Amino acid sequence: MTDAKTQTAPAAADIGLPLFYSKPEALNPIRHGSLGLAARADFSFARSAHAIPVAASEMPAAMRSYPIVFIGAAKAPVIITGVRQDENLFVDANGRWSEPHYIPAYARRYPFILADDSKTAGRLTLCIDRASERIVDQLLAPFREDGGKIAPFFNGTEPTEATRQALAFCNQFQTDFNATRAMIEKIEAHGLFAPRQSKVTLEGGEVLNLTDFQVIDEAALNKLSDEAFLDLRKSGALGMLYCHLASSNSWTSLVYQASIRKARK
């Protein structure tokens, strides 16, 4: 058996800066009128993300496949997708997300994002990550190896249905993010977060200690007064609490994915 190794698993998911995005630009017909989104699904951009942000509304689906923990000063909820830095065990070399595992909305919205724009007086505007390989020029479509199927962003100066759907998805994501943030603040106000680490033993005996994350202190939760418990219920935070606690069973799924990855090498 090898010596235990310490991994700070959630560090790459620090959402102080947007994970995955490196060149966001406000989407507009003058600058991006000839561009579109390649129709093929490709999650290659998430291949090195071992922790990805998740909203409270997603947790009932996500908890079946991933441990859910909280990171950073903001106690941001994330799913753990890998046991080593820079390795997502659920995305293969071809950019496919392993079935039947839930794909988080944070990854599904890429390369779109809502961001502040100096031209819109602090309001959020729809942006794209120009570094994304899925954003292509329609004029080059016939020469693409994938057949050139592209969903354009604009029809003249008007946004296409694909762009409107992307905006609606990002708006809903932002709404869910804000609701989740409010729940986190409520949970923190009741003193329910506790630092924790997890020991994972991989097939072959390698032991990894995952650190630098927080969990819900179940003992503290059970000691809450009736008034405090009711306060959490009214805030909608109880669902998040119980999904997080139930997700601890998914560390086994993570180890299984690691064994599959090792077997394929």
Side-chain angles (χ1 to χ4, degrees), residues 53-248:
V54 66
S57 59
E58 301 177 85
M59 290 185 184
M63 70 179 188
R64 299 184 179 94
S65 296
Y66 318 100
I68 300 170
V69 301
F70 305 89
I71 64 168
K75 311 295 191 303
V78 297
I79 57 171
I80 300 299
T81 55
V83 293
R84 293 186 175 87
Q85 292 278 359
D86 303 325
E87 182 183 44
N88 185 339
L89 294 168
F90 296 84
V91 178
D92 66 20
N94 296 315
R96 292 187 297 259
W97 202 286
S98 298
E99 295 182 350
H101 301 288
Y102 177 76
I103 304 174
Y106 192 97
R108 284 184 281 124
R109 74 169 175 170
Y110 186 83
F112 299 98
I113 189 173
L114 290 181
D116 289 324
D117 182 10
S118 59
K119 297 180 181 180
T120 56
R123 292 180 303 169
L124 296 178
T125 189
L126 184 64
C127 299
I128 54 173
D129 184 7
R130 286 293 280 115
S132 170
E133 294 182 356
R134 288 187 63 198
I135 296 177
V136 295
D137 194 313
Q138 297 177 70
L139 298 177
L140 301 178
F143 307 102
R144 292 178 58 81
E145 294 181 359
D146 59 9
K149 194 172 182 181
I150 295 173
F153 294 138
F154 295 97
N155 182 8
T157 60
E158 294 298 315
T160 62
E161 179 61 24
T163 298
R164 288 193 291 269
Q165 289 180 2
L167 177 59
F169 188 92
C170 288
N171 277 329
Q172 184 60 54
F173 179 90
Q174 194 66 32
T175 297
D176 291 345
F177 175 85
N178 292 339
T180 302
R181 183 72 253 146
M183 294 178 198
I184 291 295
E185 291 173 357
K186 183 68 70 172
I187 293 169
E188 187 168 26
H190 288 290
L192 296 182
F193 287 110
R196 195 64 51 86
Q197 67 177 23
S198 182
K199 181 179 291 186
V200 175
T201 304
L202 304 180
E203 188 174 303
E206 183 180 4
V207 178
L208 301 177
N209 291 314
L210 307 181
T211 64
D212 293 346
F213 63 89
Q214 298 200 44
V215 299
I216 299 301
D217 186 335
E218 192 169 3
L221 174 62
N222 291 333
K223 291 178 181 178
L224 285 179
S225 66
D226 291 348
E227 181 181 5
F229 189 84
L230 181 60
D231 184 46
L232 286 172
R233 184 178 69 79
K234 288 181 176 179
S235 74
L238 282 183
M240 175 191 287
L241 293 174
Y242 290 131
C243 284
H244 156 71
L245 293 172
S247 77
S248 63

Side-chain angles (χ1 to χ4, degrees), residues 1-72:
M1 179 179 293
T2 61
D3 293 335
K5 298 179 181 178
T6 299
Q7 304 285 329
T8 54
D14 180 1
I15 59 173
L17 293 175
L19 178 67
F20 305 145
Y21 299 86
S22 61
K23 196 178 178 182
E25 296 178 357
L27 189 61
N28 70 74
I30 296 176
R31 193 173 187 180
H32 308 113
S34 67
L35 301 182
L37 191 70
R40 59 184 172 81
D42 186 353
F43 294 98
S44 297
F45 62 87
R47 193 182 295 131
S48 63
H50 55 263
I52 299 175
V54 66
S57 59
E58 301 177 85
M59 290 185 184
M63 70 179 188
R64 299 184 179 94
S65 296
Y66 318 100
I68 300 170
V69 301
F70 305 89
I71 64 168

